[in-house]
Amino acid sequence: MTEGDEVAVLGVRVRLGDGATVDDVRALRAWLERDEPLEQLLSAEQLRIEERTSTEGPKGRLGPDIELVLQLLGDVATIAALTEYTARAVKTWKNNRRRLQGGEPDSEIRPLGSDRS
């Protein structure tokens, strides 16, 4: 690899849409950090979860301007597995939120592009 070559970042992006608040994003992050397969990757320092300001779409259009980025730090899991773990945890969190607060925000989970971190 030469200087200036961009390294693809492996991970997934989770963005909550209509009906979500910044508190929802932070609650979802805490939920993801406690979800068993994700918690194991975090404990082994093979995964990092960050809150980032969204760079897509007009500000405030689809919920908070914060998204969660789950970034793999090693070769212990595939993107498919990470996406599956994340989707399952987000679905469970949304079901729990619906039971406790009523309603559930839209969500989008997708792999990180090689052009963004």
Side-chain angles (χ1 to χ4, degrees):
M1 183 182 322
T2 62
E3 187 176 329
D5 285 348
E6 199 169 312
V7 177
V9 177
L10 299 178
V12 296
R13 183 181 313 270
V14 179
R15 179 150 166 80
L16 296 178
D18 289 337
T21 65
V22 171
D23 288 339
D24 287 326
V25 174
R26 295 197 172 120
L28 176 57
R29 179 181 180 167
W31 186 276
L32 293 172
E33 289 171 344
R34 292 187 307 265
D35 186 70
E36 187 175 342
L38 298 175
E39 181 181 41
Q40 289 174 356
L41 290 170
L42 286 164
S43 295
E45 298 182 359
Q46 297 296 317
L47 179 71
R48 176 176 38 223
I49 300 176
E50 298 177 351
E51 292 178 24
R52 295 189 185 167
T53 301
S54 177
T55 58
E56 295 185 6
K59 291 216 173 271
R61 187 177 136 249
L62 292 173
D65 295 326
I66 298 173
E67 60 191 8
L68 297 174
V69 175
L70 290 78
Q71 186 175 13
L72 287 171
L73 303 175
D75 295 337
V76 295
T78 64
I79 290 299
L82 179 61
T83 302
E84 179 184 329
Y85 301 154
T86 303
R88 187 173 50 229
V90 169
K91 180 179 179 182
T92 304
W93 174 81
K94 286 171 58 174
N95 288 339
N96 188 55
R97 183 186 182 280
R98 184 178 58 240
R99 270 196 345 261
L100 297 175
Q101 297 178 0
E104 68 182 60
D106 297 330
S107 61
E108 178 184 32
I109 300 167
R110 60 188 169 80
L112 293 175
S114 60
D115 60 334
R116 295 181 199 162
S117 57

